[in-house]
């Protein structure tokens, strides 16, 4: 059923562990040459406790019937390393007969934004491993949705009727970002009301002619059919992206985000290392001097620099 060689789980696990905590120079040292074919990426984001992990596990399980799925969960609330999320949420017997599924959860280093610093690199490593599709869970707080938006093709916002943050989330402007809205825990009361509220908010942002119309779905991890509907909506969105010719645009956006993320981290690493006396200088001098420090440190770290022929010898 699946083309390609089997996933090397051990090698992937090691690469993800190393990347999760890598500094910029370490990230760059781990890069391989050669292009990697882009793999469809599905993002699940939303407030803590909405059921992203539970839903994501079941969604991934449903989609393994026709694809090899790699799932990455960036979860500040579960600092355990390793694939704890399936162990927690899905019984082993549910995995019987599933296709190839790899699940890895990682604690977010910067818990504030719910995203691992190296998420673009982690996703790239997943892409290299040979999955047909990647599912990534991030906690949607603050700027995280915007980052997730840049890194995935189909973004699913998961809300639950008990989460009072839903209305807050709308105000923060994240409503326009998602491709699919999910009210999870629809077995609990309040789901229909929340779905109605969200539909009303969405109507205030009518999509342009021919644009994707984000569906608002109700799911429950106790209702397998609702997971199938979610899965079909994701397929529909991916089809729409292909037909609208937007895949290439999304990929450029990803590459841009990845580079920007690395450059911002270079800046952060440089600024953190500045000595206290540095800040006594006029601001313009500080900026120039900091930029001067940034560039040479990168050149020194670059392993493949051709020799300049002079100035290298003491
Ligand atoms: N009743 C009900 N509980 C759910 C559902 N989905 C998840 N949960 C529960 O909600 C809690 C949080 O789920 P989790 O997947 O960890 O949420 P996350 O923080 O968004 O990843 C867990 O106790 C789940 O068992 C659902 O559809 N219905
Ligand atoms: Mg989770």
């Amino acid at each position: 059923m699946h083309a390609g060689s089997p996933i090397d789980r051990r090698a992937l696990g090691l690469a993800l562990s190393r990347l999760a905590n890598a500094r910029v120079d370490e990230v760059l040292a781990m890069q391989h040459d050669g292009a990697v074919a882009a793999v469809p990426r599905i993002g699940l984001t939303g407030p803590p406790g909405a059921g992203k992990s539970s839903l994501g596990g079941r969604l991934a399980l449903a989609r393994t019937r026709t694809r090899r799925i790699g799932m990455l969960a960036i979860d500040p609330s579960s600092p355990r390393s390793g694939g704890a999320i399936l162990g927690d949420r899905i019984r082993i017997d549910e995995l019987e007969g599933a296709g190839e599924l790899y699940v890895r959860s990682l604690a977010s280093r910067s818990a504030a934004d719910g995203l691992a610093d190296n998420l673009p690199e982690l996703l790239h490593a997943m892409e290299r491993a040979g999955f047909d599709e990647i599912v990534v869970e991030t906690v949607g707080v603050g700027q995280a949705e915007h980052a997730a938006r840049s890194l995935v093709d189909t973004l699913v916002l998961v809300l639950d009727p008990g989460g009072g943050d839903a209305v807050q989330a709308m105000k923060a402007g994240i409503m326009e970002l998602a491709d699919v809205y999910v009210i999870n825990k629809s077995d609990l009361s309040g789901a229909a009301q929340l779905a109605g509220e969200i539909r009303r908010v969405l109507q205030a942002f009518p999509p342009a002619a021919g644009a994707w119309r984000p569906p608002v779905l109700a799911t429950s991890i106790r209702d397998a059919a609702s997971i199938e509907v979610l899965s079909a909506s994701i397929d529909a969105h991916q089809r729409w992206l292909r037909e609208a010719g937007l895949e290439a645009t999304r990929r450029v956006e990803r590459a841009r985000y990845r580079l920007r993320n690395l450059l911002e981290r270079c800046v952060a690493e440089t600024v953190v290392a500045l000595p206290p006396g540095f800040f006594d200088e006029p601001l313009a001098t500080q900026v120039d001097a900091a930029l001067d420090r940034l560039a040479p440190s990168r050149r020194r770290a670059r392993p493949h620099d051709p020799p300049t022929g002079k100035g290298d010898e003491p």
Side-chain angles (χ1 to χ4, degrees):
M1 177 165 62
H2 300 300
S5 44
I7 307 293
D8 186 343
R9 289 167 179 259
R10 209 182 105 76
L12 175 59
L14 281 171
L16 293 176
S17 297
R18 287 177 61 199
L19 274 173
N21 298 303
R23 292 190 314 267
V24 173
D25 58 332
E26 294 167 332
V27 166
L28 296 178
M30 284 177 72
Q31 290 307 304
H32 306 264
D33 293 329
V36 184
V39 174
R41 297 175 178 182
I42 298 164
L44 298 172
T45 193
K52 300 178 298 298
S53 298
S54 316
L55 201 57
R58 279 163 181 79
L59 179 71
L61 213 48
R63 293 175 78 80
T64 53
R65 288 200 298 269
T66 50
R67 308 165 177 85
R68 294 190 293 194
I69 304 279
M71 182 171 170
L72 187 63
I74 309 295
D75 199 342
S77 63
S78 80
R80 290 159 295 178
S81 62
I85 90 163
L86 268 190
D88 288 354
R89 317 286 184 216
I90 294 180
R91 298 190 314 275
I92 291 299
D93 58 349
E94 292 184 66
L95 285 168
E96 298 286 328
E100 193 153 9
L101 175 60
Y102 175 94
V103 180
R104 177 68 190 266
S105 67
L106 288 168
S108 173
R109 282 211 304 171
S110 322
D113 70 359
L115 276 181
D117 288 339
N118 283 326
L119 186 56
E121 310 310 322
L122 294 166
L123 289 172
H124 192 72
M126 298 280 283
E127 219 155 52
R128 288 196 73 86
F131 296 107
D132 300 313
E133 188 172 274
I134 294 163
V135 178
V136 56
E137 171 194 342
T138 58
V139 176
V141 285
Q143 291 302 300
E145 296 88 358
H146 296 268
R149 172 70 287 168
S150 305
L151 287 171
V152 304
D153 300 297
T154 301
L155 186 62
V156 180
L157 179 64
V158 183
L159 300 167
D160 77 286
D165 346 29
V167 173
Q168 214 46 45
M170 294 176 218
K171 285 185 186 146
I174 66 170
M175 292 304 288
E176 303 124 276
L177 280 174
D179 302 305
V180 178
Y181 293 87
V182 164
I183 314 303
N184 190 39
K185 306 193 190 180
S186 61
D187 51 298
L188 304 179
S189 66
Q193 193 201 328
L194 178 57
E197 273 174 47
I198 287 168
R199 287 199 183 95
R200 270 195 300 283
V201 173
L202 286 178
Q203 276 160 15
F205 302 94
W212 172 253
R213 293 186 166 271
V216 180
L217 308 176
T219 60
S220 164
I221 54 168
R222 292 165 193 164
D223 175 10
S226 72
I227 313 280
E228 294 298 332
V229 171
L230 170 58
S231 185
S233 277
I234 290 167
D235 287 338
H237 180 255
Q238 303 248 324
R239 232 177 1 256
W240 177 83
L241 278 179
R242 274 196 302 277
E243 283 161 11
L246 283 174
E247 282 176 309
T249 315
R250 292 255 156 130
R251 307 251 145 96
V252 168
E253 214 184 308
R254 268 182 212 180
R256 201 186 296 280
Y257 181 89
R258 183 183 184 199
L259 177 61
R260 179 178 159 168
N261 177 271
L262 275 182
L263 290 175
E264 285 175 353
R265 292 188 51 205
C266 284
V267 170
E269 288 174 9
T270 301
V271 171
V272 160
L274 296 173
F278 194 91
F279 307 100
D280 298 335
E281 301 295 328
L283 189 56
T285 311
Q286 290 181 38
V287 170
D288 288 344
L291 287 173
D292 280 350
R293 287 187 182 222
L294 195 62
S297 72
R298 248 321 287 144
R299 280 200 290 276
R300 271 199 307 279
R302 202 155 52 196
H304 305 303
D305 255 0
T308 59
K310 58 174 186 175
D312 287 348
E313 252 54 79

